[in-house]
Amino acid sequence: MGGTVTAVSSNGTYSFTKPNRESIRLLAGLGVEGDVHAGTTVKHRFRMEKDPSQVNLRQVHLMHEELFDELREAGFVVAPGELGENVTTRGVDLLGLPVGALLRLGDEAVVEITGLRNPCAQIDNFRKGLLKQVVGRQDGGDGGVVHKSGVMSVVREGGVVRPGDPVEVELPDGPHQPLRIV
C-alpha cells in the first residue's frame, strides 16, 4: 500500500498558501524546517490563542492530490500548496488511514498521522464556495460530516522529501482508531 509525493511546500510566514519547493527537510519532533508551523508546541494562530502550551499534533499537513481532481470537476482549480499543505500525495487514501499510521516519505522521513485537518473559513476567503466542497456529508448528505482537506502528522524520523518520492504506509497494530479533528 503506497503512493507518490507529487509536491512539497513550506512557508516561513503565516499565509494561507505555501509555495512549492524542490524539497523540504522534515525535522524529528518539530516539522518542516523553516515552516511557520514547525515546533513542539502548537503554532496554528487560533490554537495558540486558546492554549499556546498544547502539543503540536499539526507539524506536517498532508493532502491527497485526488481532492484537486474532485474540486476541478466542481469548478474549482486548486494547485498543490494552495490549501496550506506541506506534502501532496497521489495514490494513498490519507483520509482512510487510522490514527498512528506511519508514512515513510522517500528514503528517510517518517511521519505519524495524528488526525484530520479542520477546514476553516480561510478556505472560502481563498475561493468563495470552496469550503462546502471540502466539508461534506456521508451517504449522499444524510450521514456524518466528512472533512476532506487532508491529514495532520508529527515527524518521527527526519529527512529530505521531494516530489517523486515514494510513500509507504505502515498501519498500527491492534484496533484502529478513526481520524478525528486535531
Side-chain angles (χ1 to χ4, degrees), residues 69-91:
D69 300 338
E70 181 183 324
L71 295 175
R72 194 172 305 105
E73 290 177 18
F76 295 91
V77 177
V78 179
E82 288 187 331
L83 294 181
E85 76 276 11
N86 300 110
V87 177
T88 310
T89 66
R90 182 165 286 279

PDB file of all heavy atoms in Angstrom, residues 69-91:
ATOM      1  N   ASP A  69      -8.528  16.870  -8.157  1.00  0.00           N
ATOM      2  CA  ASP A  69      -9.295  16.359  -9.294  1.00  0.00           C
ATOM      3  C   ASP A  69     -10.792  16.530  -9.031  1.00  0.00           C
ATOM      4  O   ASP A  69     -11.547  16.979  -9.896  1.00  0.00           O
ATOM      5  CB  ASP A  69      -8.991  14.877  -9.537  1.00  0.00           C
ATOM      6  CG  ASP A  69      -7.526  14.606  -9.845  1.00  0.00           C
ATOM      7  OD1 ASP A  69      -6.814  15.529 -10.284  1.00  0.00           O
ATOM      8  OD2 ASP A  69      -7.096  13.452  -9.624  1.00  0.00           O
ATOM      9  N   GLU A  70     -11.213  16.165  -7.823  1.00  0.00           N
ATOM     10  CA  GLU A  70     -12.617  16.286  -7.432  1.00  0.00           C
ATOM     11  C   GLU A  70     -13.063  17.760  -7.454  1.00  0.00           C
ATOM     12  O   GLU A  70     -14.152  18.080  -7.937  1.00  0.00           O
ATOM     13  CB  GLU A  70     -12.787  15.695  -6.031  1.00  0.00           C
ATOM     14  CG  GLU A  70     -14.188  15.716  -5.496  1.00  0.00           C
ATOM     15  CD  GLU A  70     -14.250  15.167  -4.066  1.00  0.00           C
ATOM     16  OE1 GLU A  70     -13.504  14.219  -3.736  1.00  0.00           O
ATOM     17  OE2 GLU A  70     -15.065  15.701  -3.294  1.00  0.00           O
ATOM     18  N   LEU A  71     -12.224  18.641  -6.942  1.00  0.00           N
ATOM     19  CA  LEU A  71     -12.554  20.060  -6.917  1.00  0.00           C
ATOM     20  C   LEU A  71     -12.659  20.636  -8.333  1.00  0.00           C
ATOM     21  O   LEU A  71     -13.524  21.466  -8.602  1.00  0.00           O
ATOM     22  CB  LEU A  71     -11.514  20.840  -6.102  1.00  0.00           C
ATOM     23  CG  LEU A  71     -11.465  20.505  -4.608  1.00  0.00           C
ATOM     24  CD1 LEU A  71     -10.323  21.241  -3.930  1.00  0.00           C
ATOM     25  CD2 LEU A  71     -12.800  20.814  -3.938  1.00  0.00           C
ATOM     26  N   ARG A  72     -11.769  20.174  -9.211  1.00  0.00           N
ATOM     27  CA  ARG A  72     -11.801  20.641 -10.599  1.00  0.00           C
ATOM     28  C   ARG A  72     -13.140  20.294 -11.249  1.00  0.00           C
ATOM     29  O   ARG A  72     -13.718  21.107 -11.963  1.00  0.00           O
ATOM     30  CB  ARG A  72     -10.630  20.033 -11.385  1.00  0.00           C
ATOM     31  CG  ARG A  72     -10.369  20.689 -12.720  1.00  0.00           C
ATOM     32  CD  ARG A  72      -9.082  20.184 -13.393  1.00  0.00           C
ATOM     33  NE  ARG A  72      -7.893  20.304 -12.549  1.00  0.00           N
ATOM     34  CZ  ARG A  72      -7.281  19.275 -11.927  1.00  0.00           C
ATOM     35  NH1 ARG A  72      -7.707  18.041 -12.077  1.00  0.00           N
ATOM     36  NH2 ARG A  72      -6.221  19.480 -11.172  1.00  0.00           N
ATOM     37  N   GLU A  73     -13.638  19.089 -10.975  1.00  0.00           N
ATOM     38  CA  GLU A  73     -14.941  18.669 -11.506  1.00  0.00           C
ATOM     39  C   GLU A  73     -16.068  19.565 -10.997  1.00  0.00           C
ATOM     40  O   GLU A  73     -17.085  19.732 -11.663  1.00  0.00           O
ATOM     41  CB  GLU A  73     -15.223  17.215 -11.142  1.00  0.00           C
ATOM     42  CG  GLU A  73     -14.352  16.228 -11.884  1.00  0.00           C
ATOM     43  CD  GLU A  73     -14.603  14.796 -11.446  1.00  0.00           C
ATOM     44  OE1 GLU A  73     -15.654  14.501 -10.827  1.00  0.00           O
ATOM     45  OE2 GLU A  73     -13.725  13.951 -11.718  1.00  0.00           O
ATOM     46  N   ALA A  74     -15.876  20.146  -9.803  1.00  0.00           N
ATOM     47  CA  ALA A  74     -16.883  21.047  -9.219  1.00  0.00           C
ATOM     48  C   ALA A  74     -16.643  22.507  -9.632  1.00  0.00           C
ATOM     49  O   ALA A  74     -17.333  23.403  -9.146  1.00  0.00           O
ATOM     50  CB  ALA A  74     -16.878  20.916  -7.703  1.00  0.00           C
ATOM     51  N   GLY A  75     -15.636  22.751 -10.494  1.00  0.00           N
ATOM     52  CA  GLY A  75     -15.394  24.098 -10.993  1.00  0.00           C
ATOM     53  C   GLY A  75     -14.348  24.900 -10.252  1.00  0.00           C
ATOM     54  O   GLY A  75     -14.222  26.112 -10.463  1.00  0.00           O
ATOM     55  N   PHE A  76     -13.564  24.251  -9.373  1.00  0.00           N
ATOM     56  CA  PHE A  76     -12.527  24.938  -8.606  1.00  0.00           C
ATOM     57  C   PHE A  76     -11.152  24.420  -9.025  1.00  0.00           C
ATOM     58  O   PHE A  76     -10.879  23.230  -8.895  1.00  0.00           O
ATOM     59  CB  PHE A  76     -12.701  24.698  -7.105  1.00  0.00           C
ATOM     60  CG  PHE A  76     -13.957  25.288  -6.547  1.00  0.00           C
ATOM     61  CD1 PHE A  76     -15.127  24.537  -6.497  1.00  0.00           C
ATOM     62  CD2 PHE A  76     -13.978  26.590  -6.069  1.00  0.00           C
ATOM     63  CE1 PHE A  76     -16.293  25.074  -5.981  1.00  0.00           C
ATOM     64  CE2 PHE A  76     -15.138  27.138  -5.547  1.00  0.00           C
ATOM     65  CZ  PHE A  76     -16.300  26.376  -5.504  1.00  0.00           C
ATOM     66  N   VAL A  77     -10.304  25.313  -9.492  1.00  0.00           N
ATOM     67  CA  VAL A  77      -8.942  24.933  -9.842  1.00  0.00           C
ATOM     68  C   VAL A  77      -8.051  25.248  -8.642  1.00  0.00           C
ATOM     69  O   VAL A  77      -7.912  26.408  -8.248  1.00  0.00           O
ATOM     70  CB  VAL A  77      -8.451  25.676 -11.102  1.00  0.00           C
ATOM     71  CG1 VAL A  77      -7.004  25.313 -11.393  1.00  0.00           C
ATOM     72  CG2 VAL A  77      -9.350  25.336 -12.286  1.00  0.00           C
ATOM     73  N   VAL A  78      -7.489  24.201  -8.054  1.00  0.00           N
ATOM     74  CA  VAL A  78      -6.628  24.324  -6.878  1.00  0.00           C
ATOM     75  C   VAL A  78      -5.359  23.537  -7.150  1.00  0.00           C
ATOM     76  O   VAL A  78      -5.411  22.406  -7.628  1.00  0.00           O
ATOM     77  CB  VAL A  78      -7.326  23.785  -5.607  1.00  0.00           C
ATOM     78  CG1 VAL A  78      -6.413  23.893  -4.396  1.00  0.00           C
ATOM     79  CG2 VAL A  78      -8.637  24.529  -5.358  1.00  0.00           C
ATOM     80  N   ALA A  79      -4.222  24.146  -6.849  1.00  0.00           N
ATOM     81  CA  ALA A  79      -2.924  23.516  -7.082  1.00  0.00           C
ATOM     82  C   ALA A  79      -2.283  23.128  -5.748  1.00  0.00           C
ATOM     83  O   ALA A  79      -2.641  23.665  -4.695  1.00  0.00           O
ATOM     84  CB  ALA A  79      -2.012  24.484  -7.844  1.00  0.00           C
ATOM     85  N   PRO A  80      -1.322  22.204  -5.778  1.00  0.00           N
ATOM     86  CA  PRO A  80      -0.611  21.822  -4.553  1.00  0.00           C
ATOM     87  C   PRO A  80      -0.043  23.039  -3.825  1.00  0.00           C
ATOM     88  O   PRO A  80       0.497  23.954  -4.447  1.00  0.00           O
ATOM     89  CB  PRO A  80       0.508  20.914  -5.067  1.00  0.00           C
ATOM     90  CG  PRO A  80      -0.070  20.291  -6.294  1.00  0.00           C
ATOM     91  CD  PRO A  80      -0.879  21.408  -6.928  1.00  0.00           C
ATOM     92  N   GLY A  81      -0.205  23.029  -2.507  1.00  0.00           N
ATOM     93  CA  GLY A  81       0.283  24.102  -1.649  1.00  0.00           C
ATOM     94  C   GLY A  81      -0.719  25.210  -1.431  1.00  0.00           C
ATOM     95  O   GLY A  81      -0.624  25.966  -0.469  1.00  0.00           O
ATOM     96  N   GLU A  82      -1.700  25.320  -2.301  1.00  0.00           N
ATOM     97  CA  GLU A  82      -2.643  26.437  -2.195  1.00  0.00           C
ATOM     98  C   GLU A  82      -3.607  26.310  -1.021  1.00  0.00           C
ATOM     99  O   GLU A  82      -4.165  27.312  -0.572  1.00  0.00           O
ATOM    100  CB  GLU A  82      -3.426  26.616  -3.502  1.00  0.00           C
ATOM    101  CG  GLU A  82      -2.580  27.175  -4.618  1.00  0.00           C
ATOM    102  CD  GLU A  82      -3.371  27.518  -5.857  1.00  0.00           C
ATOM    103  OE1 GLU A  82      -4.420  26.890  -6.128  1.00  0.00           O
ATOM    104  OE2 GLU A  82      -2.925  28.432  -6.577  1.00  0.00           O
ATOM    105  N   LEU A  83      -3.804  25.108  -0.498  1.00  0.00           N
ATOM    106  CA  LEU A  83      -4.651  24.936   0.681  1.00  0.00           C
ATOM    107  C   LEU A  83      -3.816  24.801   1.952  1.00  0.00           C
ATOM    108  O   LEU A  83      -4.314  24.403   3.003  1.00  0.00           O
ATOM    109  CB  LEU A  83      -5.588  23.740   0.512  1.00  0.00           C
ATOM    110  CG  LEU A  83      -6.639  23.890  -0.591  1.00  0.00           C
ATOM    111  CD1 LEU A  83      -7.532  22.662  -0.665  1.00  0.00           C
ATOM    112  CD2 LEU A  83      -7.475  25.143  -0.377  1.00  0.00           C
ATOM    113  N   GLY A  84      -2.534  25.139   1.851  1.00  0.00           N
ATOM    114  CA  GLY A  84      -1.671  25.199   3.026  1.00  0.00           C
ATOM    115  C   GLY A  84      -0.969  23.916   3.409  1.00  0.00           C
ATOM    116  O   GLY A  84      -0.321  23.851   4.452  1.00  0.00           O
ATOM    117  N   GLU A  85      -1.065  22.896   2.562  1.00  0.00           N
ATOM    118  CA  GLU A  85      -0.424  21.626   2.905  1.00  0.00           C
ATOM    119  C   GLU A  85       1.081  21.683   2.634  1.00  0.00           C
ATOM    120  O   GLU A  85       1.541  22.450   1.801  1.00  0.00           O
ATOM    121  CB  GLU A  85      -1.063  20.452   2.163  1.00  0.00           C
ATOM    122  CG  GLU A  85      -0.699  20.323   0.700  1.00  0.00           C
ATOM    123  CD  GLU A  85      -1.530  21.177  -0.241  1.00  0.00           C
ATOM    124  OE1 GLU A  85      -2.277  22.056   0.226  1.00  0.00           O
ATOM    125  OE2 GLU A  85      -1.421  20.967  -1.455  1.00  0.00           O
ATOM    126  N   ASN A  86       1.807  20.823   3.356  1.00  0.00           N
ATOM    127  CA  ASN A  86       3.249  20.691   3.180  1.00  0.00           C
ATOM    128  C   ASN A  86       3.612  19.599   2.189  1.00  0.00           C
ATOM    129  O   ASN A  86       4.599  19.714   1.472  1.00  0.00           O
ATOM    130  CB  ASN A  86       3.944  20.359   4.505  1.00  0.00           C
ATOM    131  CG  ASN A  86       3.738  21.399   5.554  1.00  0.00           C
ATOM    132  OD1 ASN A  86       3.029  21.160   6.528  1.00  0.00           O
ATOM    133  ND2 ASN A  86       4.330  22.565   5.381  1.00  0.00           N
ATOM    134  N   VAL A  87       2.830  18.510   2.185  1.00  0.00           N
ATOM    135  CA  VAL A  87       3.126  17.368   1.333  1.00  0.00           C
ATOM    136  C   VAL A  87       1.837  16.979   0.601  1.00  0.00           C
ATOM    137  O   VAL A  87       0.808  16.741   1.234  1.00  0.00           O
ATOM    138  CB  VAL A  87       3.648  16.163   2.145  1.00  0.00           C
ATOM    139  CG1 VAL A  87       3.890  14.954   1.248  1.00  0.00           C
ATOM    140  CG2 VAL A  87       4.922  16.532   2.909  1.00  0.00           C
ATOM    141  N   THR A  88       1.930  16.938  -0.719  1.00  0.00           N
ATOM    142  CA  THR A  88       0.804  16.499  -1.549  1.00  0.00           C
ATOM    143  C   THR A  88       1.143  15.110  -2.067  1.00  0.00           C
ATOM    144  O   THR A  88       2.261  14.874  -2.525  1.00  0.00           O
ATOM    145  CB  THR A  88       0.578  17.474  -2.722  1.00  0.00           C
ATOM    146  OG1 THR A  88       0.531  18.812  -2.215  1.00  0.00           O
ATOM    147  CG2 THR A  88      -0.720  17.166  -3.438  1.00  0.00           C
ATOM    148  N   THR A  89       0.169  14.189  -1.964  1.00  0.00           N
ATOM    149  CA  THR A  89       0.398  12.804  -2.356  1.00  0.00           C
ATOM    150  C   THR A  89      -0.593  12.376  -3.429  1.00  0.00           C
ATOM    151  O   THR A  89      -1.624  13.016  -3.630  1.00  0.00           O
ATOM    152  CB  THR A  89       0.242  11.845  -1.161  1.00  0.00           C
ATOM    153  OG1 THR A  89      -1.120  11.846  -0.731  1.00  0.00           O
ATOM    154  CG2 THR A  89       1.161  12.213  -0.011  1.00  0.00           C
ATOM    155  N   ARG A  90      -0.278  11.282  -4.079  1.00  0.00           N
ATOM    156  CA  ARG A  90      -1.222  10.629  -5.003  1.00  0.00           C
ATOM    157  C   ARG A  90      -1.115   9.131  -4.751  1.00  0.00           C
ATOM    158  O   ARG A  90      -0.027   8.595  -4.562  1.00  0.00           O
ATOM    159  CB  ARG A  90      -0.908  10.948  -6.455  1.00  0.00           C
ATOM    160  CG  ARG A  90      -1.937  10.303  -7.405  1.00  0.00           C
ATOM    161  CD  ARG A  90      -1.921  10.849  -8.806  1.00  0.00           C
ATOM    162  NE  ARG A  90      -2.500  12.161  -8.977  1.00  0.00           N
ATOM    163  CZ  ARG A  90      -3.804  12.433  -9.084  1.00  0.00           C
ATOM    164  NH1 ARG A  90      -4.693  11.462  -8.974  1.00  0.00           N
ATOM    165  NH2 ARG A  90      -4.221  13.660  -9.279  1.00  0.00           N
ATOM    166  N   GLY A  91      -2.286   8.465  -4.730  1.00  0.00           N
ATOM    167  CA  GLY A  91      -2.297   7.015  -4.580  1.00  0.00           C
ATOM    168  C   GLY A  91      -2.358   6.514  -3.157  1.00  0.00           C
ATOM    169  O   GLY A  91      -2.235   5.307  -2.928  1.00  0.00           O
TER     170      GLY A  91
END
